[in-house]
Amino acid sequence: EQERKGTDDMYVRHPRNGNVTGASLSATLQYCIFYHPTADKKKLSSPEGMVKRFGISDRKYTLSRLRQRAKLHDWDMIKGFTTHKGLFSSKTKSSIGFEPFVRICALYGAPVDVLEYFAMCITDADDRINISQEFHLHGALIATYTQQRNEPAMQELRSEIVQEMGLEGGRAITEKIDAALKDPKIKWQKGRKKSRLGFFRRKK
């Protein structure tokens, strides 16, 4: 009863356009992900059931789930797509990598903490820095430069924040940077290369 009521509410908030009868497999999958994301696998409306019945690749399924749930701003469910629980711990992994999560979530207006969550899941530090610069994810940049102990890059970021946002406008960010730079537990490396792209240079 609770599941049926939830589905009815969805139809009110997001009226269906037409009928899925005769629709393509891709369109039907997107419809089921949008309206019936947690349907029992035995039901025809189950996205997971469709994946199994039609041999849909994990990559295609992940992209479809990401796009459809992002339209609904269902950030918690999207995070769950990449969390895999083991016997003693959980880890994040994705068949499409994590950059698409940042881009698609940003496209549908995800809050900064969601974008930074997925940015920090990107393993390659340079790729993580590049996308964080593009979407102005200063928290992810600070965390990455701290992990690298890259003082020149951190100082460069601080200067750009002040230049573009002013002392008051960027105070919250520069205070985080200053706290990290003054942390006695971090052995900063002064000779590391600076970041390849400025924080504000890839704004779109």
Side-chain angles (χ1 to χ4, degrees), residues 55 64 68 77 79 118 130 204:
S64 294
Q68 296 306 310
M77 179 175 281
K79 285 183 179 180
F118 288 117
N130 287 342
K204 293 183 177 180

Side-chain angles (χ1 to χ4, degrees), residues 156-184:
E156 180 183 47
L157 172 61
R158 191 188 192 288
S159 296
E160 291 182 349
I161 293 294
V162 172
Q163 181 179 353
E164 297 293 333
M165 301 176 68
L167 287 173
E168 287 302 318
R171 184 176 297 279
I173 305 173
T174 57
E175 285 181 350
K176 291 180 181 179
I177 293 174
D178 291 341
L181 290 171
K182 294 175 182 177
D183 190 336

Side-chain angles (χ1 to χ4, degrees), residues 116 129-142 145 153 156-162 164-165 173 177 195-204:
E116 290 190 334
I129 289 169
N130 287 342
I131 200 163
S132 295
Q133 289 169 336
E134 181 176 345
F135 290 97
H136 295 185
L137 306 178
H138 54 79
L141 284 172
I142 292 171
Y145 293 151
E156 180 183 47
L157 172 61
R158 191 188 192 288
S159 296
E160 291 182 349
I161 293 294
V162 172
E164 297 293 333
M165 301 176 68
I173 305 173
I177 293 174
S195 57
R196 293 179 298 178
L197 295 168
F199 183 61
F200 289 94
R201 296 175 196 169
R202 295 184 66 180
K203 184 176 180 180
K204 293 183 177 180

Side-chain angles (χ1 to χ4, degrees), residues 84-130:
H84 302 268
K85 294 183 178 180
L87 187 61
F88 300 107
S89 63
S90 60
K91 61 181 180 179
T92 56
K93 64 179 181 179
S94 166
S95 60
I96 61 172
F98 292 98
E99 184 172 324
F101 280 84
V102 177
R103 294 189 180 282
I104 292 175
C105 286
L107 180 64
Y108 289 100
V112 171
D113 65 297
V114 171
L115 303 182
E116 290 190 334
Y117 172 85
F118 288 117
M120 290 304 297
C121 289
I122 298 173
T123 303
D124 184 87
D126 285 339
D127 290 342
R128 189 191 317 145
I129 289 169
N130 287 342

